Amino acid sequence: MTVFRQCTVWCRTGGAWHGTQVNKSDRTSSGFEQRPLKTATFASHADYLRKLCTNYIGELGGANRRASYLLEQGEVIHDLVENWPLTDFNMGKLLGTTVDYQEDLSHRTCSVCLESCLTGLRDYVLNHPSPYVKRLKVVDLTGIKDAEVQFCECKKTMGRWARTQLLSKLCLELVVYLQQTQCNSGTFEISIDVLIDLFVTERNYDLVVQALLKKYCCPLKICCVAFRSDNLALQKFFYIIKLADPSLLRKLEIVHNVRLDMEHLEILFNSIHFPLLMSLTLPARTFNVQRFTATDERMLTNIGEKMGEMMQLTELSMPFSILTGRIQKLLSPLKTPLKMLDVSNCSLNHADMAYLASSFHANHLEALDLSGHNIPDLYPSIFFKLLSHSSSVLRSLTLEDCNIQDTHVNMLILSLSPCQKLQEFKFLGNPLSSQALKHLFTFLCELPMLKNVEFPVPRDCYPIGITYPIDDASLCRFDHQKYESVAEELNLILLQANREDVKASTPLFGSYDAAIQETNNELGAYLIKSFKETLEKFTTLNKMS
């Protein structure tokens, strides 16, 4: 290995990045003798650092990975990855918080940095013989977290869908290149598992399918840990989910424009096994007990039993399914208690809530969404029992459009009081006055772990006679000036209680969803197309009649 006398190591102190010149001869058992340099030194000497990557990567990797990521030094990131000397490359660990570096960069989905990282991975396979033996076996991209606000200078993000697209494209290019070029024989012996959360829609379906089909002849092997499918024909979903190797899946999200009914779900569970599945999200109206027959009842029982075979399943989301009186049949076969349950707008009755409150799931629920249920009028005591059982672990509670009014605030406070680990509370869409919100916020200040609150526009900010739940057309028709005044008062309550750590907001159309945000153009086009087709069918039927 070529020996050089000096390099620059980066560290973060006092909120800024500093470079430190390090002499090989200055190394001691306790570390390096260091003297700080300005961050600009790094930016202006990127070419020099790139030359050092090959020879000193083991000691440069972690710190300079962060510094180059912060400064969007794409070429440096590329070269660091291209010359990676270790057996594993974990993005989450490299960019996450450590004892030495408190800032979490895993939320920075900077397009420049991520593209440089992935192309560097491709060139790791193809680059010229290096002084070290290629040892990389696993690349983990699952630690990247998509966030609403990005602080990178380029302001261009690479979301989950785009990462799926780029990795698939690079894998196919790599296969074609290796087939057409005389490469070093050692290149064909390289086998690197690339762990990724795939996001597949109609627009990138063909590319991802081809990449999965070529997996075994490509040095970079896509290993799907989580799979999200939206805007995809059911036949295509069944095909690609088998290609993605369900035995490795830990999270499966089938959402929105995948028309998966209960009978299709039964076929899925009967034909494919998910031994490691921890999280399952189903599209709206997967279940609808309003039209159940005896055959449907048996089908529901079978689905519950199949989910019971998933010993790792701890998260279940099935919003907007009609499940009145059937929650016990679906959840009682589960062998592992649920930690997250979303049954928002599922038309649960008293028997359903009574089962949830007394089930073994209740004591383990860390996240619960009961939105769309008239909790105060239908089952106030059962709700209190449910929260008391889950209070020791509950971190997130969502009660949107639950008809919680001013007269129910004291009951709500009493129910929430034991939930001392609550970090997130969302209660948009409830008809609460400004005064009731102030009373509730005064209590919320006492929850020590609370970090995020989503509260509704006060009822007195809307015109007299407004009805709840408020339709989308009327949602923005409120007194904005009055709302701003109330919001300032609520924030003042937090400040006076020294709770600056609590973020309070009113996202009128729901919380930020990175996946929807990234693919909203495609989904919008799909909805327009569906509406047009429905309109044409309706017109044709009218003409025939």
Side-chain angles (χ1 to χ4, degrees), residues 321-332:
S321 277
I322 309 301
L323 283 165
T324 311
R326 305 304 198 286
I327 280 291
Q328 183 171 359
K329 181 175 287 189
L330 197 58
L331 300 187
S332 60

Side-chain angles (χ1 to χ4, degrees), residues 412-433:
L412 180 62
I413 290 174
L414 190 63
S415 300
L416 291 174
S417 293
C419 304
Q420 294 296 296
K421 292 186 178 180
L422 195 67
Q423 298 176 17
E424 182 177 66
F425 181 40
K426 301 178 182 181
F427 58 108
L428 297 167
N430 288 292
L432 292 166
S433 68

Side-chain angles (χ1 to χ4, degrees), residues 418-457:
C419 304
Q420 294 296 296
K421 292 186 178 180
L422 195 67
Q423 298 176 17
E424 182 177 66
F425 181 40
K426 301 178 182 181
F427 58 108
L428 297 167
N430 288 292
L432 292 166
S433 68
S434 304
Q435 202 60 39
L437 285 172
K438 294 173 190 176
H439 179 36
L440 183 55
F441 263 64
T442 301
F443 159 74
L444 292 177
C445 291
E446 300 174 8
L447 297 177
M449 307 289 286
L450 193 65
K451 298 297 179 186
N452 184 44
V453 176
E454 292 184 3
F455 64 95
V457 174

Side-chain angles (χ1 to χ4, degrees), residues 450-451 491 494-504:
L450 193 65
K451 298 297 179 186
N491 274 301
L494 295 173
L495 289 173
Q496 290 175 340
N498 295 318
R499 293 307 305 271
E500 297 92 338
D501 58 321
V502 178
K503 175 190 174 185

Side-chain angles (χ1 to χ4, degrees), residues 464-522:
I464 296 175
I466 189 77
T467 57
Y468 284 77
I470 303 173
D471 59 76
D472 290 345
S474 304
L475 204 55
C476 296
R477 296 175 184 170
F478 59 90
D479 187 331
H480 289 257
Q481 187 174 357
K482 185 174 181 179
Y483 165 78
E484 291 295 340
S485 177
V486 174
E488 286 181 10
E489 291 183 62
L490 296 177
N491 274 301
L492 184 60
I493 291 173
L494 295 173
L495 289 173
Q496 290 175 340
N498 295 318
R499 293 307 305 271
E500 297 92 338
D501 58 321
V502 178
K503 175 190 174 185
S505 61
T506 306
L508 286 177
F509 297 99
S511 303
Y512 174 79
D513 187 318
I516 292 178
Q517 185 69 25
E518 187 180 13
T519 56
N520 57 5
N521 290 336
E522 179 181 354

